[in-house]
Amino acid sequence: MVETMQKPYKPEQINHILNPIVKKWFFTRFKEYSLPQLYGVMEIHSRNNILISAPTGATKTLTGFLSILNELIDSSEKGILEDKIYCVYISPLRALSEDIKINLINPLNEMEEIANKKFGIRVASRTGDTEASEKAKMLKNPPHILITTPESLAIVLSSFKFVDHLKDVQWCIIDEVHALAENKRGTHLSLSLERLQKLSPSMSRIGLSATIAPLDEIAKYLAGYEDKIERPCKIVDVQFIKKLDLKVLSPVPDLIDTEHGNMHNAMYNLIHHLIQSHKTTLIFTNTRSATERVVHNLKEKYPRFYAENIGAHHGSLSKTHRHDLENRLRDGKIKVAVCSTSLELGIDIGFIDLVICVGSPKSVARALQRIGRSGHRLHDVTKGRIIVLDRDDLVECAVILKSAIEKKIDKIHIPRNALDVLAQHIYGIAIQEKIHIKDLFSLIKNSYCYNTLAKKDFNEIIEYLAGKYISLEDRHIYAKIWYDEETGMIGKRGKLARVLYMTNIGTIPDQTSVRVKVGDYMVGTIEEAFLEKLRPGDVFVLGGNVYTFKFSRGMVAQVSASANRPPNVPSWFSEMLPLSFDLSLEIGRFRKLLNEKFCLGKSKKEIIDFINEYVYVDKNASLSIYNYFFEQFNYAEIPSNSRIIVEHYTNEQGIKHTIFHTLYGRRVNDCLSRAVAFAISRTQHRDVEIGINDNGFYVASEKSVNVMHAFKLIKSKEFRKVLDAAIDRTEILKRRFRHCAMRALMILRTYKGHTKRVGRQQVSSMILINAVKRISPDFSILKEARREVLEDLMDIDNAQKVIEGIEKGNIKIKEITTTIPSPFAFNLVAQGITDILKIEDRVEFLRRMHKNVLAKIGMKKVVEV
């Protein structure tokens, strides 16, 4: 059972179990035990499963290792230290693995100096970067502490010789568990942990996590099950032990009616002022392009201040560049680093005294993780500033801050029953040992991610791996395991099995850019993630020109030039982080409360006082929020979490837009908009354009379409079937099927030393998808691709809850007609059009719409009290 610890142990209890050398070392470095240590050290010493959730810099790692180092030193002194792996430490990043190695070796050296003798405790790192010679050394002399990644752990579990060293592991530490649990790397790891537990039945699991929710679910993920019963796990919840200094800043008093040049200058002046009044600053943006832009503009505007002491850090840069920047940050040789998401996890980057987020972090947990990079030591204050550039961002960030201060963390989504990862692991298990199918099923169901796995789905994966579908051999997919139905045993098949498995393991798909062509003429490239979002007929901008997407083959997208239609898919779409559902609901509640104040006829002062009381913002920001809601209320209607406003509007080109103000986040709006578009195409035989963002979606068409009729046809009970059909022939399903087929080893990226290019993989997967549909429209790996799209990429569960809310009358719908989009619709309507405008023209476009709305409000003779 999972239980949250209510009180910490006493310092003298920890003193009692610590070896004198460890104790002396500890108190030469630290004054006292930290709160995570008072809770965690004794539990780890007692071999209990434990999840420690604390902010960055709150001594989580040392808490995890203190008991373990203590025991190893104790064993060494008594002469009973064995040549075996006592602890496996798993980190999501290779760079973090190197950090930990250094942070373990240094204390061990210091303790050896105190003791004036060598302990012979070995620490080694085994990742994709480890040399073959290093791996060979580990086979002869296994490290006492093995530092690795999820992928490398899966490899050693199926390594013929190395696996013997894993037969009596005492502890397994999973660092940054929050960053793994929410994706398929975490699903993969959960099965590896069960395989490791089978080898080492007495192993205890230690999870280290930043601020995350729900903690009990993460604890269940960490501990798993034993014979259908949850393994016990203690939770240490010290997520808020550091002092927070958080503020939302608006660079200008008016976020809508300020010229772009003035806004731009004000923002960089503000950033520059913040950087100069602090020692080292870390700036987070939401896209890689924005990261580059911020670095460029700071260098350009303030060349005297930012010549050598500024740097960009993101996934597109080389490993050497990233490591160099990390080292310079650690050594205090850099004043400011700008990144997208790459420095969110706990790589040691030295002392940062300020974190700036440019734009909304999109979730409370992410905001706290980013801002938690400042004040890295336990008693430092965590200092963060979020700079907002538009009114939607302002409201969003104000509510993020409120939720952070009030300790309301948004829940993460943990993928369940991923059949592609399951296939990969069953193959790995069969390579390592012969196993009875019942024992295999029990082992898999011990994982939290597979605890609800249906026997039918499990059997279908066994049938695929055992080569039941002969027709797949035409596509060079052969049996990977043997399965004897009489004895119920399974095992590996073929001499190359181990090599094939080792060279194709993992869950992260290969990505490359897609060439965009008009006929045979190449016009540029786009990211694959961007192509996933496109439907035939969608319009987008590339290199300043507008194109209509027709179809794709392999890694080539065919388009036609589109001079007369504005874009409906903005270029930043694939990069942007989606708003979390929980945070969306909090913003919806805030909207509802403000709507009530306006309906009651409260004065401007009373409403502004309420805003200041409810959210933590400055004077500029509260006035901006008031004006934003005042305009929406007097021009249209204020939507909320329990009231969807449907706005009908026709633009200057005569294209009719139906705008749904559904503030439920982009993942939910993706589901709702696709369901509506599918219902229209099926019942009214029309193709429509859809646009989505976190605050809503629109359906647009030149011809007359009854959008509301289609919307009312969507029923919660049929919702998944409708969406299954809606995504059936989309780019997103084709691409995700390739990813799933690769994880399930239907498509091999490496075979006999040759690597298959992504383009060839995609062509193979297009042929393969048709082959598996002929076997069954519900073929296991195709079924998994649909599940991944609808549950992991989109958010079908919460979208279904919205539909149910409408059916039960808990969510009301009101239709309105406008001649100009209402203020809450500005960003949604403008997002595609503004790709073809310069940024100044975009701001001008929004200002013009805003002035028109103000003029309409004036015509209504609304008196502002």
Side-chain angles (χ1 to χ4, degrees):
M1 287 296 291
V2 166
E3 61 168 308
T4 301
M5 292 179 70
Q6 297 305 321
K7 57 179 193 204
Y9 287 86
K10 293 185 172 70
E12 48 270 30
Q13 289 174 286
I14 301 178
N15 288 338
H16 181 69
I17 64 153
L18 286 188
N19 181 292
I21 295 160
V22 179
K23 201 188 303 178
K24 190 174 179 185
W25 170 82
F26 185 88
F27 286 109
T28 54
R29 297 282 302 270
F30 307 98
K31 288 182 189 168
E32 59 188 1
Y33 297 115
S34 67
L35 202 52
Q37 285 156 5
L38 290 172
Y39 273 105
V41 170
M42 293 297 290
E43 293 293 333
I44 296 166
H45 176 75
S46 306
R47 307 289 202 282
N48 292 328
N49 296 327
I50 188 167
L51 171 65
I52 301 167
S53 182
T56 305
T59 71
K60 287 193 295 285
T61 312
L62 184 57
T63 303
F65 276 117
L66 196 59
S67 299
I68 297 164
L69 289 174
N70 182 61
E71 184 134 342
L72 293 176
I73 285 171
D74 224 30
S75 297
S76 174
E77 291 223 282
K78 290 172 182 167
I80 54 171
L81 186 69
E82 295 176 52
D83 266 355
K84 66 172 191 181
I85 295 170
Y86 283 83
C87 170
V88 175
Y89 167 92
I90 299 158
S91 140
L93 299 174
R94 291 176 191 178
L96 204 50
S97 303
E98 282 308 306
D99 260 14
I100 293 296
K101 188 176 166 185
I102 294 161
N103 291 343
L104 280 174
I105 289 169
N106 290 346
L108 279 169
N109 290 340
E110 288 164 7
M111 288 181 212
E112 285 177 341
E113 273 178 38
I114 290 168
N116 201 19
K117 62 178 173 185
K118 294 282 180 193
F119 295 125
I121 295 167
R122 293 185 295 273
V123 178
S125 169
R126 180 170 175 145
T127 70
D129 293 339
T130 308
E131 301 286 335
S133 57
E134 285 291 308
K135 291 176 186 173
K137 273 186 209 164
M138 280 183 222
L139 268 177
K140 287 180 188 166
N141 280 325
H144 298 105
I145 298 175
L146 173 68
I147 297 165
T148 189
T149 59
E151 291 75 16
S152 293
L153 175 63
I155 286 172
V156 296
L157 283 167
S158 294
S159 297
F160 185 55
K161 294 173 184 168
F162 197 89
V163 78
D164 288 338
H165 296 311
L166 296 170
K167 284 189 174 160
D168 191 24
V169 173
Q170 300 295 300
W171 298 276
C172 182
I173 300 178
I174 299 101
D175 203 354
E176 308 283 1
V177 68
H178 59 280
L180 288 165
E182 62 182 347
N183 54 51
K184 283 193 176 178
R185 285 186 84 200
T187 310
H188 195 273
L189 174 63
S190 76
L191 285 174
S192 292
L193 289 174
E194 292 309 328
R195 291 170 66 186
L196 186 57
Q197 192 89 46
K198 188 180 174 222
L199 290 167
S200 303
S202 60
M203 178 184 82
S204 65
R205 305 181 186 195
I206 302 150
L208 308 177
S209 173
T211 308
I212 198 73
L215 276 178
D216 57 346
E217 198 177 342
I218 302 288
K220 288 174 191 172
Y221 162 83
L222 172 71
Y225 292 75
E226 194 75 57
D227 298 326
K228 301 179 184 175
I229 298 163
E230 279 175 19
R231 289 193 187 100
C233 186
K234 303 274 182 79
I235 296 173
V236 176
D237 181 3
V238 284
Q239 296 189 123
F240 294 93
I241 54 173
K242 290 178 79 176
K243 286 194 180 118
L244 298 173
D245 173 2
L246 312 177
K247 276 184 192 152
V248 174
L249 303 178
S250 169
V252 290
D254 188 337
L255 283 166
I256 185 84
D257 211 7
T258 303
E259 283 184 5
H260 170 258
N262 297 345
M263 173 99 78
H264 189 258
N265 289 332
M267 180 183 85
Y268 282 103
N269 285 340
L270 175 58
I271 292 174
H272 174 61
H273 170 72
L274 288 167
I275 293 167
Q276 293 309 317
S277 51
H278 292 85
K279 185 171 172 279
T280 312
T281 302
L282 180 60
I283 300 176
F284 281 99
T285 67
N286 283 345
T287 63
R288 291 171 183 182
S289 52
T291 296
E292 297 288 358
R293 204 162 52 241
V294 169
V295 172
H296 172 76
N297 280 317
L298 284 171
K299 280 183 167 181
E300 194 97 328
K301 285 175 179 293
Y302 313 99
R304 200 160 58 84
F305 294 93
Y306 310 107
E308 299 301 316
N309 61 353
I310 186 170
H313 190 289
H314 57 72
S316 298
L317 296 167
S318 72
K319 191 167 81 179
T320 315
H321 176 97
R322 294 198 309 272
H323 283 187
D324 178 52
L325 185 84
E326 288 157 21
N327 291 333
R328 285 165 67 207
L329 262 173
R330 244 193 305 268
D331 300 341
K333 292 177 181 171
I334 204 161
K335 181 83 176 162
V336 54
V338 188
C339 71
S340 47
T341 56
S342 52
L343 288 175
E344 276 179 5
L345 294 183
I347 302 168
D348 180 14
I349 49 173
F351 177 74
I352 305 280
D353 55 346
L354 176 70
V355 168
I356 299 172
C357 295
V358 178
S360 168
K362 296 291 176 186
S363 91
V364 183
R366 191 179 289 107
L368 287 167
Q369 277 159 35
R370 288 180 172 186
I371 292 164
R373 299 315 309 265
S374 73
H376 203 93
R377 289 189 296 268
L378 181 58
H379 299 293
D380 294 338
V381 173
T382 292
K383 190 171 186 182
R385 299 291 180 262
I386 305 178
I387 297 176
V388 295
L389 298 174
D390 76 27
R391 301 191 296 181
D392 283 335
D393 250 13
L394 171 58
V395 174
E396 205 171 285
C397 293
V399 176
I400 283 180
L401 222 61
K402 177 184 172 64
S403 298
I405 290 163
E406 294 176 1
K407 305 178 185 180
K408 289 181 187 166
I409 312 297
D410 19 34
K411 297 189 278 289
I412 66 162
H413 162 76
I414 300 176
R416 306 294 294 267
N417 303 323
L419 300 179
D420 50 354
V421 174
L422 177 63
Q424 193 179 118
H425 262 288
I426 291 174
Y427 189 28
I429 292 165
I431 285 165
Q432 193 48 36
E433 60 176 328
K434 292 174 186 170
I435 187 169
H436 195 281
I437 197 156
K438 281 184 182 169
D439 297 334
L440 177 62
F441 190 54
S442 299
L443 174 74
I444 285 157
K445 290 209 35 136
N446 282 345
S447 152
Y448 174 77
C449 297
Y450 292 95
N451 185 250
T452 57
L453 179 70
K455 190 77 190 285
K456 179 177 176 287
D457 288 335
F458 170 77
N459 288 340
E460 283 178 5
I461 290 294
I462 295 288
E463 285 170 357
Y464 145 62
L465 289 170
K468 182 187 170 187
Y469 308 110
I470 307 291
S471 62
L472 289 178
E473 292 189 2
D474 297 341
R475 302 272 19 100
H476 309 292
I477 296 166
Y478 302 102
K480 292 173 176 59
I481 63 171
W482 56 260
Y483 168 42
D484 185 330
E485 291 189 35
E486 282 184 26
T487 61
M489 299 300 288
I490 71 163
K492 72 165 181 170
R493 195 171 194 153
K495 291 176 186 171
L496 283 174
R498 197 179 300 271
V499 176
L500 282 180
Y501 178 72
M502 300 294 195
T503 51
N504 288 281
I505 204 165
T507 60
I508 302 166
D510 294 337
Q511 296 277 6
T512 188
S513 49
V514 177
R515 286 169 296 158
V516 179
K517 290 185 172 182
V518 175
D520 293 331
Y521 178 69
M522 186 167 146
V523 292
T525 61
I526 54 175
E527 292 170 59
E528 200 177 357
F530 183 71
L531 177 63
E532 277 189 354
K533 304 289 184 292
L534 298 179
R535 304 177 315 148
D538 275 346
V539 181
F540 64 98
V541 173
L542 180 62
N545 295 316
V546 184
Y547 298 100
T548 303
F549 173 65
K550 289 159 70 179
F551 60 88
S552 77
R553 286 217 179 97
M555 302 312 283
V556 175
Q558 279 291 343
V559 299
S560 60
S562 179
N564 59 342
R565 282 182 62 202
N568 66 307
V569 183
S571 57
W572 44 259
F573 196 83
S574 59
E575 280 194 331
M576 285 295 276
L577 299 160
L579 183 66
S580 76
F581 182 69
D582 293 334
L583 182 57
S584 301
L585 292 182
E586 285 298 320
I587 299 165
R589 288 185 194 108
F590 177 54
R591 283 178 168 189
K592 188 174 186 174
L593 290 170
L594 273 181
N595 185 52
E596 284 167 4
K597 303 285 175 204
F598 280 110
C599 288
L600 291 168
K602 299 283 185 189
S603 70
K604 179 177 181 177
K605 183 185 180 303
E606 285 175 305
I607 295 176
I608 287 180
D609 285 348
F610 167 75
I611 293 169
N612 285 322
E613 214 175 279
Y614 192 80
V615 288
Y616 306 84
V617 290
D618 62 9
K619 198 176 167 187
N620 271 356
S622 55
L623 183 61
S624 267
I625 292 172
Y626 170 79
N627 287 334
Y628 191 27
F629 279 78
F630 174 83
E631 288 158 21
Q632 179 72 21
F633 178 78
N634 285 298
Y635 177 67
E637 299 259 355
I638 294 177
S640 71
N641 59 315
S642 59
R643 189 164 84 131
I644 295 170
I645 301 300
V646 180
E647 182 178 342
H648 299 283
Y649 141 79
T650 304
N651 72 7
E652 290 158 2
Q653 287 78 38
I655 296 172
K656 298 166 185 67
H657 287 68
T658 301
I659 302 160
F660 288 79
H661 291 269
T662 46
L663 199 160
Y664 300 114
R666 196 172 79 216
R667 292 173 65 225
V668 167
N669 289 336
D670 206 347
C671 290
L672 296 175
S673 61
R674 282 176 192 270
V676 173
F678 181 74
I680 290 168
S681 73
R682 276 294 165 93
T683 58
Q684 299 171 43
H685 310 295
R686 291 249 191 276
D687 279 334
V688 290
E689 177 189 302
I690 52 179
I692 66 168
N693 69 10
D694 288 315
N695 298 339
F697 66 94
Y698 69 73
V699 178
S701 173
E702 288 177 40
K703 293 171 183 162
S704 187
V705 171
N706 191 338
V707 179
M708 288 312 291
H709 176 69
F711 186 64
K712 283 168 187 166
L713 289 175
I714 299 164
K715 299 287 178 259
S716 58
K717 285 179 181 168
E718 303 293 318
F719 195 55
R720 186 175 276 269
K721 275 187 193 167
V722 168
L723 275 176
D724 266 347
I727 63 164
D728 191 46
R729 298 186 187 282
T730 57
E731 281 301 321
I732 203 161
L733 186 65
K734 288 182 207 165
R735 306 269 144 199
R736 293 293 160 151
F737 176 75
R738 182 188 93 228
H739 299 173
C740 294
M742 284 184 62
R743 289 188 200 104
L745 309 175
M746 294 182 94
I747 295 171
L748 301 175
R749 67 160 78 89
T750 307
Y751 182 65
K752 292 186 177 177
H754 297 290
T755 301
K756 197 181 228 184
R757 289 195 335 269
V758 181
R760 295 301 314 151
Q761 292 170 17
Q762 187 60 34
V763 170
S764 301
S765 99
M766 302 278 281
I767 300 165
L768 189 55
I769 201 168
N770 293 324
V772 300
K773 276 180 181 174
R774 281 195 292 275
I775 293 168
S776 161
D778 229 8
F779 186 84
S780 54
I781 306 305
L782 180 57
K783 182 178 178 178
E784 172 54 28
R786 288 195 192 104
R787 189 210 61 78
E788 182 181 316
V789 171
L790 296 180
E791 292 179 19
D792 303 348
L793 203 62
M794 298 178 196
D795 186 357
I796 188 167
D797 293 337
N798 284 318
Q800 201 156 349
K801 282 179 191 164
V802 172
I803 299 292
E804 282 168 9
I806 294 166
E807 287 169 350
K808 289 174 183 168
N810 300 332
I811 298 174
K812 303 281 186 271
I813 294 179
K814 181 163 184 190
E815 291 183 68
I816 60 171
T817 303
T818 56
T819 48
I820 307 148
S822 68
F824 281 16
F826 282 5
N827 279 333
L828 183 57
V829 170
Q831 68 182 16
I833 299 169
T834 51
D835 253 4
I836 50 176
L837 304 173
K838 288 184 190 156
I839 189 87
E840 307 86 273
D841 296 338
R842 175 188 192 277
V843 173
E844 197 45 54
F845 174 79
L846 290 171
R847 283 176 71 202
R848 194 169 69 245
M849 283 210 291
H850 179 239
K851 283 197 171 92
N852 289 341
V853 164
L854 291 183
K856 293 274 182 194
I857 292 174
M859 280 164 60
K860 279 183 169 179
K861 294 195 168 47
V862 173
V863 181
E864 194 176 336
V865 234

